[in-house]
Amino acid sequence: MAQIVLGVGTSHSPQLSSPPEIWHDHAARDRRNTFLVAQDGEVYTFDQLPLRPEWAIDESRLTVEAWQGLRTRTDQAIDRLSEALNQARPDVVVVVGDDQDELFLADGVPAIAIYWGETITDIPPTGEELERIPAGIQAAHWAIHADKPEPYPVASGLGQHMVENLMLDEFDVCQASQQPSGRGVGHAFTFVRRRLMRDRLAPMLPVVLNTYVPPNQVSPRRCYALGRALRRAVERYPEDLRVAIVASGGLSHFVVDEALDRRVIDGLAARDVDSLSTIPRKYMRSGTSEILNWIAVGGAVEHLRMDVVDYVPGYRSVAGTGIGACFAVWS
């Protein structure tokens, strides 16, 4: 039978793949963001956040030199994850990620979806579309896009089997076997291919959760149960496959919430289903909602031991915006 032999969790923010000298561009976009979910789960504008002294960040942490140290740590952590994936030699890499108007249209986002076509293609932006992208995100494009459209092999048989088994397990799953014209696979998946898989491309199986787009986002409790069901489906597959499963995204952003991140990390390490399942829904918004991808993988890897490679609170502004970057391996 197939078995999940490795779990991986990785943040995938453009901040991780752009040079520190340009992180000010990410902070400038934060300043224009009118929907910043802070440490109390409420929404603030950029200018409102530093008015709370307990949230304000000292400017000594916002120099290019300080940022270079953070970038070095995240690069080293990503290298560790890539090496763990290489050493596991998986036959299939299941990636649990979210979609942000990429493969699915914003007004037609399924709560849970599995893509099981023979291939899925990364379609990089070009021309005017590329020119409209902010400089900080353009600088990180190498981490999520090739220079031209690139098809990825998909574990189609396992994907179809997984859809069927999840339906029997009472999960209503959207299934897709054909890529809509002009719609590319999301950055949650291409980051894993480019920065973790690198030149060791195994067939991928995209499991897509709606974490971002209201009102049908999955709940933390449902995500953990889904992870358990994914593992059961894998173990029912008759072929002898080594499967790795990856959580892509998170943790807290665009406002860093170290307390929330620690709750998630500790809950995953301890397999504390109650703690993970009862995170208030108000926190699971904007970029922070990608924590749900981690919770789903946590349910799938209960039989493995978690090793936190690093947690890097990557502040980029006095308002506490940035990325709570986390990297972990279950083996």
Side-chain angles (χ1 to χ4, degrees):
M1 69 176 186
Q3 268 193 318
I4 295 177
V5 298
L6 180 75
V8 172
T10 182
S11 299
H12 64 221
S13 166
Q15 185 174 331
L16 305 179
S17 305
S18 55
E21 292 80 8
I22 206 167
W23 283 13
H24 61 83
D25 184 76
H26 300 301
R29 286 185 288 108
D30 296 334
R31 185 174 290 279
R32 298 190 294 270
N33 190 345
T34 59
F35 191 86
L36 291 168
V37 181
Q39 290 89 329
D40 59 0
E42 301 303 324
V43 176
Y44 295 84
T45 65
F46 184 96
D47 291 333
Q48 290 172 322
L49 289 167
L51 300 179
R52 292 280 294 269
E54 68 271 28
W55 295 348
I57 301 302
D58 189 275
E59 293 191 15
S60 65
R61 303 179 68 177
L62 306 175
T63 65
V64 172
E65 291 75 20
W67 288 343
Q68 184 61 63
L70 299 179
R71 174 66 193 273
T72 298
R73 284 176 61 185
T74 61
D75 280 348
Q76 290 172 344
I78 291 170
D79 287 344
R80 287 270 305 277
L81 301 189
S82 180
E83 184 58 29
L85 197 58
N86 180 44
Q87 290 180 353
R89 300 292 179 186
D91 301 300
V92 177
V93 178
V94 176
V95 181
V96 181
D98 54 302
D99 189 84
Q100 298 174 30
D101 195 22
E102 293 157 321
L103 185 63
F104 298 105
L105 292 171
D107 63 349
V109 180
I112 303 169
I114 291 178
Y115 182 91
W116 60 277
E118 292 295 328
T119 62
I120 192 164
T121 300
D122 165 33
I123 303 176
T126 58
E128 292 183 0
E129 181 185 6
L130 180 60
E131 291 174 3
R132 289 194 298 269
I133 295 173
I137 297 179
Q138 282 198 39
H141 260 214
W142 66 274
I144 59 171
H145 291 302
D147 293 332
K148 58 184 179 181
E150 179 185 20
Y152 303 169
V154 173
S156 182
L158 177 61
Q160 183 176 4
H161 164 89
M162 196 173 281
V163 171
E164 293 169 348
N165 275 260
L166 288 175
M167 293 300 295
L168 292 173
D169 230 338
E170 301 187 346
F171 284 87
D172 296 324
V173 181
C174 171
Q175 57 88 24
S177 61
Q178 295 187 19
Q179 192 167 345
S181 177
R183 309 294 293 185
V185 62
H187 67 280
F189 305 91
T190 58
F191 182 93
V192 173
R193 184 266 177 268
R194 296 188 62 77
R195 291 218 63 184
L196 269 60
M197 298 173 76
R198 301 180 182 177
D199 59 352
R200 303 177 291 272
L201 182 57
M204 182 187 291
L205 182 59
V207 176
V208 188
L209 304 184
N210 179 26
T211 74
Y212 250 82
V213 184
N216 68 325
Q217 301 104 311
V218 281
S219 70
R221 186 177 300 278
R222 191 65 168 161
C223 286
Y224 201 93
L226 173 66
R228 286 172 163 171
L230 288 171
R231 185 178 73 250
R232 289 193 295 269
V234 167
E235 292 173 350
R236 291 172 187 150
Y237 194 61
E239 290 187 32
D240 186 17
L241 296 178
R242 293 173 58 82
V243 177
I245 186 166
V246 180
S248 180
L251 296 181
S252 62
H253 65 293
F254 299 95
V255 178
V256 179
D257 187 340
E258 295 188 49
L260 175 61
D261 291 343
R262 288 295 177 188
R263 175 176 176 173
V264 172
I265 295 166
D266 293 346
L268 290 168
R271 304 177 183 88
D272 189 339
V273 184
D274 287 340
S275 178
L276 295 169
S277 298
T278 56
I279 297 173
R281 193 180 184 94
K282 67 179 183 178
Y283 291 101
M284 297 294 100
R285 293 181 291 182
S286 189
T288 300
S289 70
E290 292 174 337
I291 285 172
L292 294 169
N293 300 328
W294 285 67
I295 293 175
V297 168
V301 294
E302 288 179 314
H303 60 301
L304 302 176
R305 180 180 59 82
M306 183 184 187
D307 174 29
V308 179
V309 175
D310 205 353
Y311 171 70
V312 183
Y315 293 101
R316 63 195 186 207
S317 77
V318 293
T321 59
I323 171 74
C326 192
F327 310 92
V329 173
W330 287 264
S331 59

